[in-house]
Amino acid sequence: MKAYELLFFVDPALDPETRLAVMKRIDTTIAEGNGKVDNVDEWGKRKLAYEINKLTEGDYTLINFHADPTQIAELDRVLRITDAVVRHMIVRRDDME
């Protein structure tokens, strides 16, 4: 399994239940692919460099995890169809093998 890092942000006006549901969906998708979450780092509200969908701030979360490279496409698909996630980025980490 390879080490990956997922950074995503949601609208800061979302209620905590919706935010928790997004996290649970990500955890479930990683676990279904026999991956494991190493660390979840909630960055909180940050100002965006430019306005996206009339938002000037985002509530950021960074997740470090290990997964099979074939499962990354499925995680990306899940994040794209999750309405609460405004933007996301998945990066392979070579320094954490």
Side-chain angles (χ1 to χ4, degrees):
M1 283 199 275
K2 307 278 183 199
Y4 292 93
E5 176 175 275
L6 163 65
L7 179 66
F8 70 94
F9 78 88
V10 298
D11 183 348
L14 284 179
D15 56 283
E17 292 82 25
T18 306
R19 201 165 186 294
L20 191 62
V22 169
M23 283 299 300
K24 185 154 179 65
R25 179 72 191 255
I26 292 169
D27 284 343
T28 303
T29 305
I30 291 171
E32 284 174 354
N34 295 325
K36 76 176 180 89
V37 174
D38 298 326
N39 186 31
V40 176
D41 189 13
E42 296 195 16
W43 290 2
K45 281 188 195 178
R46 300 279 173 115
K47 186 165 177 52
L48 301 179
Y50 54 90
E51 190 174 293
I52 301 174
N53 299 338
K54 300 183 180 173
L55 294 175
T56 57
E57 288 186 325
D59 196 352
Y60 284 83
T61 304
L62 177 71
I63 301 174
N64 291 313
F65 65 99
H66 281 78
D68 189 40
T70 59
Q71 299 300 318
I72 298 304
E74 174 63 15
L75 179 60
D76 188 51
R77 185 190 73 78
V78 167
L79 288 164
R80 286 182 195 272
I81 63 173
T82 304
D83 291 334
V85 176
V86 180
R87 292 281 194 276
H88 71 279
M89 181 172 61
I90 303 171
V91 179
R92 182 160 173 246
R93 303 264 325 247
D94 291 328
D95 59 334
M96 293 184 64
E97 294 297 325

